[in-house]
Amino acid sequence: MNNQIPNVTLNNGVKIPQLGLGVFLVKDANELKQSIKWALAADYRHIDTAMIYENETAVGEAIKESNLDRKDLFITSKLWNSDHGYEETKAAFNASLKRLGVDYLDMYLIHWPSPNYIESWKAMEELYHAGKIRAIGVSNFQIHHLEDLMAHTDVVPVVNQIETHPYFQQKGLHDFMAKHNIAHEAWGPLGQGKGNVLNDPTLTELAKKHTKSTAQIILRWHVQRDEIVIPKSIHENRIQQNRDIFDFSLSDEEMAKIAAIDKNQRGSRSPDDTEWLEKTAKK
């Protein structure tokens, strides 16, 4: 079996590597740059950051130091809640470009469905049509947010980046997105250390059977659900291990076993927490 990282073709024809490196909570610039260096050495070409992570500058420095051709990299960043609005979105986008030291983004996402996301999306559509962003999408949107967005705008999101792991499989949202050709991108794909998913007996049994780690079994499950995954790590061996998931496959029976352990157990904030969304939207 080919062990190369495959691409997923988004609904606008842009190709995104199915596996990327997430950099959430990595604040130390040297630690971040080292993890990106290891990831690039392991053939990762997709890096996912956000304004609120406070590490776009370090990501940009790591990209520059890599000496890789910009067109060979796929860089995602995200619009924070307090930057929603038409003009505000354009200003926030340009600030992200400057911090990253690039002149376009491969993908830009609305981070959360906080107030005024439709105006933000209209600004992003304009930036997209101007060639400043190759693909635009959303993150943490529920079905009703996606329906609202699509009813009032012209460009269908290419992805919805949502919390997804074996204990929170998002089956209804997953099916809705597949129906509307919106790619499912999983954040926290290994459960973020919450809920003890890495010690689940079904998953550890499959890991033993395939002589893989439990994390590799989980990431392979995501991939076979046609999801894009962005596991975070600052450890060289885990970055490599997370990448080595394309040389084996899970059977339909094994996929069904993992489907059966879903607990609908969200480990992070709900996108329907309107009080928090409104609070974080304030300047």
Side-chain angles (χ1 to χ4, degrees):
M1 189 177 286
N2 190 341
N3 198 28
Q4 296 298 307
I5 297 172
N7 289 320
V8 170
T9 302
L10 302 172
N11 64 28
N12 67 345
V14 167
K15 295 183 188 306
I16 179 173
Q18 192 169 14
L19 173 72
L21 180 73
V23 297
F24 178 52
L25 293 180
V26 188
K27 296 283 180 71
D28 183 277
N30 291 328
E31 196 172 55
L32 176 70
K33 286 159 75 171
Q34 184 61 68
S35 65
I36 291 174
K37 186 177 178 181
W38 286 328
L40 295 175
D43 292 330
Y44 287 70
R45 292 296 180 266
H46 170 188
I47 301 166
D48 180 279
T49 185
M51 186 285 283
I52 201 67
Y53 300 170
E54 298 178 355
N55 58 19
E56 288 175 313
T57 300
V59 169
E61 289 170 0
I63 291 166
K64 190 175 180 183
E65 289 169 15
S66 76
N67 291 320
L68 287 169
D69 198 316
R70 171 68 185 91
K71 68 177 172 49
D72 293 331
L73 295 168
F74 195 100
I75 311 300
T76 299
S77 194
K78 309 180 195 77
L79 176 76
W80 186 242
N81 304 350
S82 57
D83 292 321
H84 281 211
Y86 185 80
E87 294 299 337
E88 295 88 341
T89 295
K90 288 190 170 184
F93 170 76
N94 286 323
S96 281
L97 277 193
K98 189 173 180 182
R99 285 189 292 270
L100 285 159
V102 296
D103 54 12
Y104 71 93
L105 277 181
D106 296 281
M107 192 159 72
Y108 197 49
L109 308 179
I110 294 180
H111 209 147
W112 288 88
S114 63
N116 231 1
Y117 61 76
I118 288 174
E119 284 305 303
S120 292
W121 189 255
K122 288 178 178 177
M124 286 166 58
E125 285 181 329
E126 193 170 305
L127 291 163
Y128 168 64
H129 290 308
K132 301 294 282 182
I133 315 169
R134 295 178 64 223
I136 55 176
V138 295
S139 182
N140 300 302
F141 273 47
Q142 304 277 59
I143 290 173
H144 66 93
H145 297 125
L146 291 170
E147 288 176 332
D148 181 44
L149 186 69
M150 291 189 289
H152 293 97
T153 57
D154 298 324
V155 178
V156 175
V158 293
V159 308
N160 185 17
Q161 187 185 114
I162 52 176
E163 179 185 353
T164 318
H165 47 79
Y167 285 176
F168 191 59
Q169 299 186 16
Q170 299 262 39
K171 290 170 184 167
L173 185 48
H174 179 90
D175 291 345
F176 177 89
M177 287 152 54
K179 181 182 171 185
H180 292 275
N181 202 13
I182 299 168
H184 183 161
E185 186 169 14
W187 67 256
L190 301 174
Q192 291 193 305
K194 303 169 185 173
N196 213 24
V197 67
L198 287 168
N199 292 315
D200 182 90
T202 297
L203 298 172
T204 53
E205 183 185 323
L206 288 172
K208 190 175 180 182
K209 178 182 171 184
H210 287 275
T211 59
K212 290 285 184 179
S213 71
T214 311
Q216 287 172 313
I217 295 296
I218 294 172
L219 293 173
R220 183 67 206 176
W221 166 77
H222 283 290
V223 163
Q224 288 185 217
R225 288 180 98 208
D226 298 322
E227 296 170 27
I228 300 155
V229 283
I230 46 168
K232 179 207 114 182
S233 184
I234 54 170
H235 304 287
E236 184 177 14
N237 63 326
R238 286 191 194 151
I239 287 170
Q240 179 64 54
Q241 194 181 78
N242 290 344
R243 182 252 176 278
D244 288 335
I245 57 170
F246 302 103
D247 58 354
F248 78 105
S249 62
L250 298 168
S251 68
D252 290 346
E253 183 187 2
E254 290 168 334
M255 289 292 289
K257 279 183 178 179
I258 299 174
I261 67 171
D262 190 6
K263 297 181 178 182
N264 197 29
Q265 184 176 299
R266 188 187 292 279
S268 195
R269 195 172 294 280
S270 167
D272 286 322
D273 184 346
T274 53
E275 186 180 344
W276 178 79
L277 291 172
E278 286 170 12
K279 181 182 171 186
T280 53
K282 290 173 182 168
K283 305 287 185 252

